[in-house]
């Protein structure tokens, strides 16, 4: 401990002996740290939003379908469990939210146009918390009950169909016997969503109304369950899987939307690779700085050895010096990253490339997200790799022979 | 060899370790830049080509507003004669007419909503690679046959095979009820789920018949020999249809607005990362050169006392950086190109690439092309920043006084 | 009691193509409390002998004993311990750690030894006063003259009461007046603390302070006399 104090003081003083070099290196570390954390926060923000949007369209963290439904989303592949059975098994299971719904492909027709859409027959009360539609912000009104006879469509679709609140549209799909099932609806609400694809692709009707139109009794095609954390859906998955038995398919959201699931997985890898790349770019300068720092004080190292300092202390001194430099840079860099992210947390408007972002599956407002884990990761990456990068110059410094070092001309 | 050049060259090798470390930073960044930029350019090229060639072409002649709304009645009248006229006038056979509608397709057991394209069977294969992707059966043949090709996912969902019948149910251009029975002639597999699930093609004449189009269609698709040729070709097309009845020519950017923006969004984040890398290298060079100038203060004092001008010293310092930069450039380009060239043969892939690639019409393995631009641009910027970084150390020399300098030990 | 004993030590350096015999079958004994000057022309072997005694350099053959311990077979770590505890060094130049103040330089060895701060402080202040640097305790080496720097080095060399102080050309960079002052200080410390001093020099002015004068040439002792110091 006492040795450590001596070494720390020496290292600190040596650091500021050549303040220009230290400041330049510090600048590089600060920039690197800032870039690591800032970029990570942007990426996290984007992926979080993508996943939030994506999950709201799926929706839910865990889903139950009839067997084969995911590949063949047909009304014939409904879930062989009634709403009552679901309620009996999951009412007290402690999920944040859950619902059963009817989800089938359909064609919607106005007097002008036809489009293919996904028909969602829902219980509006059950889905309020996780729907991508903000019920309150709907032009007109949202559905009020499962028996509601109206339809709610997206703004973009309303545009294309040249329809609006109060006008009539026709939905066509198939019933379980593959007879055409169609029904006229009055448009009661028009919603706006983060993603244009949602506005074009989804229409909402009451669950009971949909069941009646599709002549499917009280069956549903989809049950959705929302847990506390989309990153860890296993507890929800296990409970649901245990509750529903083998006659149905239970899937995590990462399996339903493999693109999103992959994004989430690759993102951790990307963040780490980015940090390591930045560190490597820094490491050349770091090693260079240390080599110079050792080189210009070879005689002093010889002196310390002659005075009875052990080589390990010289090694320690150089490593401490390097760690101090890195720690200082990390501190300032992290603070700077924090200071530059906080003002942006209200969102960065990317609508200039909005449709491009949508192609990536992201919405056009980017909310940077600063996670403590990422800050810790960046700091740990730099310190740990920095430690290893310092080993070589520090080792060389500790290997000097005192006599040669002292008598070195230079 | 020029004496100044020789001096600079010797100087940088007085501290070989430091020179290698500084050059190492450049080489590292350069390899990364060459590889990343080549990969990016390659990906963008594929994204554009695949997306455009699968379906939309480089440009389309449409009714005004169709690009945004795609409404049934925003038609191009007499679409086949127009396409024939363009083929002749442009001297190109990569021109084809199309029409589009939504309909319910019913098989024995299933009914799904799909987008049906009416196409010219003889010309469609020239503007789109979908016809070439038919895995079962054959592509369309006769202009007026009531037959259809569908995607593999749709075929599975509808539980049909080639030769089976489908009932189509939709609305005609006038809003009236439109129905027909068609035979599945072929099943294509593009690998893109959305296309394989949602899209079907039938002969244009039969389509016009079924949907009461009265000879009209919605688009004339034109494929240019390459993306670079597209603007010039578009100007010619515009000259040809400009006189006609209020049609517009939409370029690929308008047809696929997400595409360019997705590339832009990706580019800006990539350039942010490259910028950081380059600046970090610049820091490294600045540090090295400043230290090398400072530790030679005494020596500089001596040569100045002997009559060397500070300006010349500054030039030597800049030349030293330039030499290091050049070394980094050459080594980085060689190593980066070697890596990229190897991958352009072997192909590049990474975990999760399948899903990512499918989102952008990309193959799961990418063969990044090596082009002069993609190889040189990154290292060139690094080189420029190397020089910029040594301006300050070189400039410091101007304030050097020989006597004071010599006193520095 | 014997402070230093060298028995038949040899050391050969290779410089270019030439082998230089820096120590050639040299033997010497130094008693505790002696004040020895090693004299030789440049390359005569005095620095090599000093380094061999201080454990900075290991002879090719022969034995080196310091304070009753044989040191030529010790490990680097053991040698470091020995120097830390038993030997003080004063070099020709670059004696001080440039980033530490005079007092911190003096305290440095004690700090590594683990002496308590209060004790360190008192000892270093007393010694700095003894070497005539009162009031300069908080200066950095760069802010002191060459003579002052050497005095700090001396204070550091004796602060932990080593049995042996080795000084290699301590006056080489000093003017004759300052050099004389430094030698006076050595003599005074030698008498006051009974510390053994071995000083290598080729400065004639230093010679007259020696109580025992050892002349060397080509790695051998050519003359070894006791004398009455000035």
């Amino acid at each position: 401990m006492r040795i450590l104090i001596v070494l720390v003081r020496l290292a600190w003083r040596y650091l500021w002996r050549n303040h220009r070099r230290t400041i330049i290196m510090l600048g590089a570390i600060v920039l690197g740290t800032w870039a690591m954390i800032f970029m990570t926060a942007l990426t996290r923000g984007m992926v979080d939003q993508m996943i939030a949007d994506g999950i709201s369209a799926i929706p839910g963290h865990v889903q139950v379908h009839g067997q084969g439904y995911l590949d063949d989303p047909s009304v014939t592949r409904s879930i062989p469990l009634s709403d009552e059975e679901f309620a009996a098994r999951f009412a007290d299971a402690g999920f944040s939210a859950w619902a059963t719904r009817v989800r089938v492909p359909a064609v919607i027709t106005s007097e002008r146009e036809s489009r293919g859409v996904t028909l969602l027959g829902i219980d509006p009360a059950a889905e309020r918390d996780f729907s991508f539609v903000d019920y309150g912000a709907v032009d007109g009104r949202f559905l009020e009950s499962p028996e509601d006879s109206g339809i709610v469509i997206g703004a973009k679709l309303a545009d294309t169909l040249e329809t609006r609140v109060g006008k009539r549209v026709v939905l066509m799909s198939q019933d379980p016997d593959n007879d055409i099932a169609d029904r006229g609806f009055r448009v009661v609400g028009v919603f706006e969503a983060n993603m244009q694809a949602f506005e074009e692709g989804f229409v909402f009707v009451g669950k009971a109304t949909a069941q009646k139109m599709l002549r499917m009794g009280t069956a549903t095609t989809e049950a959705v369950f929302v847990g506390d954390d989309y990153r860890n859906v296993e507890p929800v998955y296990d409970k649901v899987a245990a509750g529903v038995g083998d006659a149905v398919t239970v899937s995590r959201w990462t399996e339903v939307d493999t693109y999103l699931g992959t994004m989430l997985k690759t993102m951790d890898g990307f963040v780490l690779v980015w940090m390591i790349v930045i560190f490597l770019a820094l490491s050349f300068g770091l090693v260079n700085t240390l080599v110079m720092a050792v080189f210009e004080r070879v005689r002093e190292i010889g002196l310390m050895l002659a005075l009875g300092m052990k080589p390990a202390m010289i090694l320690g001194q150089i490593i401490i010096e390097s760690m101090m430099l890195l720690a200082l840079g990390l501190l300032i860099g992290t603070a700077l990253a924090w200071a530059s992210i906080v003002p942006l947390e209200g969102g960065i408007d990317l609508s200039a490339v909005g449709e491009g972002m949508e192609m990536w599956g992201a919405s056009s407002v980017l909310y940077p997200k600063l996670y403590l884990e990422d800050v810790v990761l960046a700091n740990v990456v730099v310190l740990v790799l920095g430690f290893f990068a310092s080993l070589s110059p520090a080792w060389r410094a500790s290997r000097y022979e005192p006599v040669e070092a002292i008598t070195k001309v230079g | 060899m020029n004496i100044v050049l020789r001096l600079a060259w010797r100087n940088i090798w007085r501290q070989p370790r430091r020179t290698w470390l500084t050059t190492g930073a450049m080489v590292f960044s350069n390899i990364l830049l060459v590889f990343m930029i080549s990969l990016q350019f390659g990906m963008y090229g594929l994204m554009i080509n695949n997306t455009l060639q699968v379906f939309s072409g480089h440009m389309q002649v449409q009714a005004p507003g169709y690009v945004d709304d795609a409404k049934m009645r925003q038609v191009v009248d007499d679409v086949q004669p127009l396409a024939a006229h363009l083929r002749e006038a442009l001297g190109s056979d990569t021109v084809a007419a199309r029409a589009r509608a939504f309909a319910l397709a019913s098989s024995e057991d299933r009914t799904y909503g799909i987008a049906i394209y009416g196409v010219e069977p003889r010309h469609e294969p020239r503007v789109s690679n979908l016809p070439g992707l038919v895995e079962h059966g054959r592509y369309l043949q006769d202009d007026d046959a009531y037959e259809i090709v569908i995607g593999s996912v749709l075929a599975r969902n509808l539980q049909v095979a080639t030769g089976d019948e489908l009932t189509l149910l939709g609305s005609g251009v006038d809003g009236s009820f439109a129905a027909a029975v068609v035979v599945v002639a072929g099943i294509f597999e593009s690998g893109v789920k959305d296309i394989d699930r949602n899209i079907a093609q039938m002969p244009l004449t039969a389509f016009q018949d079924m949907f009461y189009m009265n000879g009209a269609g919605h688009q004339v698709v034109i494929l240019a020999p390459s993306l670079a040729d597209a603007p010039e070709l578009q100007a010619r097309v515009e000259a040809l249809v400009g006189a006609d009845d209020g049609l517009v020519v939409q370029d690929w950017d308008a047809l696929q607005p997400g595409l360019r923006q997705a590339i832009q969004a990706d580019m800006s984040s990539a350039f942010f990362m490259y910028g950081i890398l380059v600046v970090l290298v610049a820091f490294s060079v600045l540090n090295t050169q400043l230290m090398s100038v400072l530790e030679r203060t005494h020596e500089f004092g001596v040569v100045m006392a002997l009559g060397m001008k500070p300006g010349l010293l500054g030039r030597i310092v800049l030349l030293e950086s330039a030499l290091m930069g050049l070394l980094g450039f050459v080594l980085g380009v060689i190593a980066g190109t070697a890596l990229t060239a190897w991958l352009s043969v072997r192909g590049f892939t990474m975990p999760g690439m399948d899903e990512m690639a499918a989102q952008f019409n990309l193959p799961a393995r990418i063969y990044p092309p090596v082009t002069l631009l993609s190889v040189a641009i990154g290292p060139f910027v690094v080189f420029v920043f190397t020089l910029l970084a040594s301006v300050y150390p070189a400039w410091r020399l101007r304030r050097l006084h020989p006597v004071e300098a010599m006193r520095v030990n | 009691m014997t402070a230093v004993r060298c028995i038949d030590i040899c050391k050969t350096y290779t410089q270019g193509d030439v082998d230089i015999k820096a120590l050639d079958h040299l033997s010497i004994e130094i008693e505790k409390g002696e004040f020895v000057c090693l004299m030789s022309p440049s390359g005569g072997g005095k620095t090599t002998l000093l380094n061999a005694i201080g454990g900075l350099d290991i002879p090719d053959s022969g034995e080196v004993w310091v304070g009753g311990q044989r040191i030529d077979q010790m490990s680097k770590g053991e040698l470091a311990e020995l120097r830390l505890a038993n030997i003080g060094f004063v070099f020709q130049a670059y004696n001080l750690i440039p980033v530490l103040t005079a007092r911190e330089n003096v305290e440095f060895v004690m700090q590594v030894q683990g002496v308590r701060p209060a004790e360190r402080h008192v000892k270093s202040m007393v010694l700095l006063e003894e070497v005539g640097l009162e009031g300069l305790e908080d200066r950095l080496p760069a802010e002191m003259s060459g003579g002052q720097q050497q005095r700090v080095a001396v204070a550091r060399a004796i602060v932990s009461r080593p049995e042996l102080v080795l000084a290699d050309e301590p006056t080489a960079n000093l003017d004759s007046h300052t050099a004389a002052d430094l030698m006076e200080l050595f003599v005074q410390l030698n008498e006051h603390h009974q510390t053994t001093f071995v000083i290598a020099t080729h400065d004639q002015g230093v010679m007259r302070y020696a109580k025992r004068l050892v002349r060397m040439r080509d790695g051998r002792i050519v003359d070894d006399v006791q004398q009455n110091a000035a």
Side-chain angles (χ1 to χ4, degrees), chain C residues 41-142:
Chain C
S42 271
K46 57 184 185 302
T47 298
T48 312
L49 178 57
L50 216 54
N51 287 343
I53 296 171
L56 293 176
D57 212 350
I58 310 293
D60 301 331
S61 65
E63 297 174 15
V64 181
W65 296 72
V66 174
Q69 289 176 283
R70 184 167 175 187
I71 70 163
D72 54 285
Q73 290 169 338
M74 282 184 174
S75 71
K76 276 191 179 181
E78 287 170 322
L79 285 171
E81 300 266 5
L82 173 83
R83 287 199 294 271
L84 193 60
N86 302 334
I87 304 176
F89 275 99
V90 181
F91 298 101
Q92 178 179 343
Y94 308 113
N95 254 310
L96 304 181
I97 298 168
V99 294
L100 300 182
T101 63
R103 190 164 59 75
E104 287 167 342
N105 261 289
V106 174
E107 285 189 29
F108 180 73
V109 171
M110 286 190 285
Q111 232 174 332
V112 177
Q113 284 172 331
V115 179
R116 284 200 314 278
E119 188 184 342
R120 266 184 352 228
H121 190 74
V122 172
K123 276 189 172 176
S124 62
M125 294 308 265
V126 168
L127 261 175
L128 281 169
E129 195 184 327
E130 196 171 342
V131 300
L133 291 175
E134 215 180 338
L136 303 181
E137 296 89 351
D138 292 326
R139 291 212 183 166
L140 288 169

Side-chain angles (χ1 to χ4, degrees), chain B residues 11 47 69 128 179 190 192 221 223 240 281 304 317 324 352 367 379 383 402:
Chain B
N11 278 342
M47 268 165 79
D69 307 328
S128 153
S190 71
V192 182
V221 185
L223 196 66
L240 288 167
V281 173
M304 276 166 76
V317 169
M324 274 196 281
Y367 300 84
F383 182 74

Side-chain angles (χ1 to χ4, degrees), chain A residues 307-326:
Chain A
L307 291 179
M309 253 188 152
K310 289 186 182 142
M313 297 185 208
I314 305 290
L315 184 91
Q317 189 198 324
I318 304 292
I319 288 180
I320 290 173
E321 202 171 318
S322 164
M323 292 291 116
M324 273 182 165
L325 182 62
L326 291 172

Side-chain angles (χ1 to χ4, degrees), chain B residues 35-199:
Chain B
F35 164 65
M36 290 301 292
I37 293 177
S38 297
L39 188 66
Q40 245 182 306
F41 282 13
M43 254 170 57
Y44 296 160
L46 281 176
M47 268 165 79
I48 294 172
N49 279 336
N50 288 5
T51 309
L52 300 188
Q53 280 168 5
V54 162
F55 222 54
S56 58
H58 287 115
M59 67 201 75
Q60 291 183 4
V61 181
Q62 302 177 342
Y66 184 81
V67 71
D68 293 322
D69 307 328
K71 287 172 187 164
M72 192 75 176
R73 68 195 145 83
Q74 291 167 321
V75 295
V76 177
D77 287 328
D78 300 322
V79 71
Q80 288 108 318
L82 177 63
H85 170 59
L86 285 175
R87 266 193 291 275
E88 194 179 333
L90 296 172
S92 159
D93 52 4
T94 55
V95 179
R98 281 189 200 144
R100 185 180 85 149
F102 285 90
L104 272 183
S106 298
S107 62
E108 285 285 289
D109 307 312
R110 288 287 188 278
T111 301
Y112 280 104
I114 56 173
I116 300 178
Y117 283 80
V119 298
E120 298 178 287
R122 278 185 304 122
H123 300 294
E124 183 68 16
R126 312 304 301 241
V127 297
S128 153
N129 55 18
L130 265 193
L133 297 171
V134 170
E135 297 273 315
H136 302 283
R138 55 161 176 81
Y139 191 62
L140 308 171
Q141 279 173 347
D142 297 325
D143 273 346
D144 51 2
Y146 271 78
E147 55 185 20
I148 195 165
V149 290
I150 59 178
S152 55
V153 178
L154 185 61
R156 199 166 67 228
N157 287 350
L158 287 172
Q159 301 174 355
V160 293
T162 52
D164 290 349
E165 284 186 344
L166 285 181
T167 309
L168 301 182
L169 222 62
S171 325
V173 70
D174 53 359
S176 58
F177 183 73
V181 174
V182 293
V183 176
V184 177
I187 295 167
F188 63 81
E189 180 151 13
S190 71
V192 182
K193 265 217 173 105
D194 275 349
I195 292 179
D196 291 345
R197 188 190 291 277
N198 293 322
I199 285 180

Side-chain angles (χ1 to χ4, degrees), chain A residues 21 71-74 76 105 113-115 162 172 174 178 262 266 277 288 292 353 355-356 359-360 396, chain B residues 17-18 22 69-73 102 107-112 156-157 257-258 261-262 288 355 359-360:
Chain A
R21 184 175 60 212
D71 186 52
D72 177 23
S74 159
T76 58
E113 279 293 324
S114 304
R115 283 295 181 273
E162 294 181 51
M172 285 191 287
Q174 70 162 118
N178 197 29
T262 309
T266 24
V277 162
N288 211 349
M292 285 193 259
V353 290
E355 284 170 272
M359 219 172 146
W360 287 103
R396 285 171 65 106
Chain B
R17 217 141 83 94
R18 187 162 68 193
T22 313
D69 307 328
K71 287 172 187 164
M72 192 75 176
R73 68 195 145 83
F102 285 90
S107 62
E108 285 285 289
D109 307 312
R110 288 287 188 278
T111 301
Y112 280 104
R156 199 166 67 228
N157 287 350
Q261 293 176 4
T288 301
E355 286 81 3
Q359 183 90 355
F360 298 100

Side-chain angles (χ1 to χ4, degrees), chain A residues 324-405:
Chain A
M324 273 182 165
L325 182 62
L326 291 172
L328 198 61
L330 284 170
L331 198 71
I332 303 174
T334 305
L336 212 60
W338 181 79
S340 57
I341 289 166
V342 166
L344 295 175
E345 269 174 351
I348 304 167
D349 184 14
L350 296 177
S351 48
V353 290
E355 284 170 272
M357 296 302 288
E358 187 151 330
M359 219 172 146
W360 287 103
S363 67
S364 59
V365 181
L366 177 53
Y367 302 93
K369 259 284 190 41
L370 190 61
Y371 282 104
L372 184 63
E373 296 97 289
D374 292 329
V375 174
V376 171
L377 183 67
N379 280 269
V380 167
V381 163
V382 171
L383 285 177
V384 170
L385 295 183
F387 173 81
F388 287 110
S390 324
L391 275 180
S392 151
W395 175 255
R396 285 171 65 106
S398 71
R399 289 297 99 182
Y400 281 116
E401 290 294 333
V403 180
E404 287 164 31

